[in-house]
Amino acid sequence: MQNKVELNRIAVNLWTARIVPIILAGVVGYATYVVVALLCVNYLLIKHNDHAAAISILVIYFVLFMLMAVCFFRLVYITIFEPPYVPLGPRALRERTKDRAESQASSDKSGIGGAEYNTGASMNLETSGIVVGSDNDPDSPGLELFYTKDVFVCDMDGKPKWCTQCANWKPDRAHHSKDCGRCIRKMDHFCPWVGGAVGENNFKFFIQFTGYTALYCIHVLVVTAIYVAKQRKAVDETLNPQFAVVLGLATFFGLFTFGMTVTSIDLAMDNYTQVEKIGAKYAVHILAVLKPPRIEMVRSDAAVPQYYKEITYPLDAGMPPSSDYYQPADMPRTKIFSHARLSEPNTNPPPPTSEDIGNISAAPMQGAEGSHPNRGSLKTNEIPAAVDPRQESLDESSGRGLENGASMQEVPRPAESTARTGDRQNATARERLSERDLQATRTFAILQMLQTGENPWDLGSRILNFKTVMGSNLLDWFLPIQRSPCCNHEDGESQFALGPAVELLKSSVGFIPPREPGTLHRRRRKRTRRRTRSEDAPDLDVKTSDSNAIATQPNPSIPLQDFNDSSTSS
């Protein structure tokens, strides 16, 4: 929670960012008065009758002025009324509402007032170790915006990055700004000259504004410098001090905006922002990459297999890893990192009811082959539930009892009620999942970029990187009409376009076939599905030569691919 000092500093920064654009507009208005009225009309047309010079200066001036003004108003409008803010989380909204209520109560003369009380649900969750709307809440809103993508930036635990100030998940390339107290999408910097933070949706207009302002200042600088020099050389004329003032202003703002333009264009061509460029040489990005089914994975040629963790979303699904993700011995080994059932406190199972005990004899018994959830093939939309160890031991003993000719009545009744309770808990876990969560359950591998300082969003070409910010045609480059293509996050692969470094990372763990040498810097404009098998590939019932893999395979109904066979390897 932000204290009063931080809130006052943020308020000062925001009010300054609202006032400075007005001052900047006043400077341009003064320069327009000097160049148009004093220089072109009074000095050139009236005093020297030089129509050619006056008209040429005015035409160039107003063309650059209109382009600069349109970009400026477009930029300021988006920065103030549509800033690139990440929405606040529910907890941050409650805390800021509470701060305003406490501030209003403290200023109340009657002294009556206060903040809202915690609800019973919030108190129950907090006593179980979970804070509502925090990073350890698996039901935290906005988390589905990440795991519905194939790749997203995460921490070591597989979760997206969390902002404690905004109490929300930070989208890819988002950073928290202390100047405005909010997380900014693809933040570049906080600029009081244009009204606030420069980020994802206004960085393009910022480049256009600084570029046209630099040209405008160069034009004013050259014109005023010429006629200041003439006035100093003329015997019958005195130097107009306002020409010298405009000359100084044009020099200052021209150097400033020219430097900002060159820096911003260079950052756009490298697909960086100013915040990302700081420390980019030593940055190591961690990505959560959607793990493909085992049948689509290819053999890794690395001498030392890369180890990685896994995480399954939704976090509160309460489901064990699917047997489809089993890997033979010649593929990279994984370590499972499970966040399942974090939203439920540890409680003892409820006691069996009399109805459960009375109906236990009518329940169908399963043999040893059908008792374990990892045995047998998985049906469509069938989600295995967590296995109770007591139930598993009961099933094994029941299978042995049936093989020896024992009847169901010979099994002790307390064990039957325990198994019945476990079945009921598993059924409840399945019912707790909505249809959307059942379809969106996905397993991700937590992978680290192969090299330090590697940019996962570098498309391999400076012009392609530039197009993601400025647009795909020249009209978008020079006119502030459409927003940057990077503002569109509808692609199912990632929030931003990914470069060849991510494809190399996927191929290093066998998720996709390795790319041919010399093609690492080629970028596909449209995403296509890769097929790791040709149509004439041999039958899937090919057994691997690894005896250990056969002995430890959890699902014998899913055949293993022989990666030693050159005809089936990619």
Side-chain angles (χ1 to χ4, degrees), residues 69 135 291 372 468 470:
D135 56 342
K291 190 173 180 182
H372 200 283
T468 61
M470 302 302 296

Side-chain angles (χ1 to χ4, degrees), residues 27-193:
V27 172
V28 175
Y30 173 72
T32 302
Y33 165 74
V34 172
V35 173
V36 175
L38 299 183
L39 178 60
C40 293
V41 177
N42 295 342
Y43 185 78
L44 293 179
L45 292 179
I46 297 178
K47 187 174 183 178
H48 293 278
N49 199 21
D50 191 351
H51 293 79
I55 292 175
S56 60
I57 291 173
L58 290 176
V59 169
I60 298 175
Y61 180 87
F62 279 107
V63 168
L64 296 176
F65 174 81
M66 290 301 298
L67 291 173
M68 178 187 66
V70 171
C71 293
F72 176 74
F73 287 115
R74 174 80 159 146
L75 173 61
V76 172
Y77 177 83
I78 292 180
T79 305
I80 295 178
F81 297 102
E82 300 177 9
Y85 290 165
V86 177
L88 292 173
R91 184 167 60 88
L93 290 174
R94 290 195 301 267
E95 290 179 352
R96 299 196 180 192
T97 304
K98 178 181 177 181
D99 292 339
R100 287 194 295 267
E102 291 178 350
S103 177
Q104 183 178 0
S106 61
S107 60
D108 192 357
K109 294 182 179 180
S110 61
I112 301 175
E116 59 181 356
Y117 291 95
N118 291 330
T119 61
S122 301
M123 295 179 65
N124 292 335
L125 285 177
E126 290 178 359
T127 54
S128 63
I130 296 175
V131 180
V132 178
S134 63
D135 56 342
N136 65 345
D137 181 11
D139 293 328
S140 180
L143 193 59
E144 67 278 359
L145 300 178
F146 295 86
Y147 66 78
T148 52
K149 304 290 184 180
D150 292 349
V151 181
F152 62 89
V153 179
C154 66
D155 284 327
M156 290 299 297
D157 59 355
K159 296 181 183 179
K161 293 186 177 181
W162 176 264
C163 178
T164 56
Q165 298 292 332
C166 299
N168 203 355
W169 305 104
K170 296 168 64 174
D172 295 354
R173 312 186 71 175
H175 297 273
H176 186 83
S177 173
K178 295 182 179 180
D179 295 317
C180 57
R182 294 289 296 272
C183 285
I184 310 299
R185 297 181 182 272
K186 197 182 177 184
M187 179 179 176
D188 189 78
H189 67 288
F190 183 84
C191 182
W193 296 100

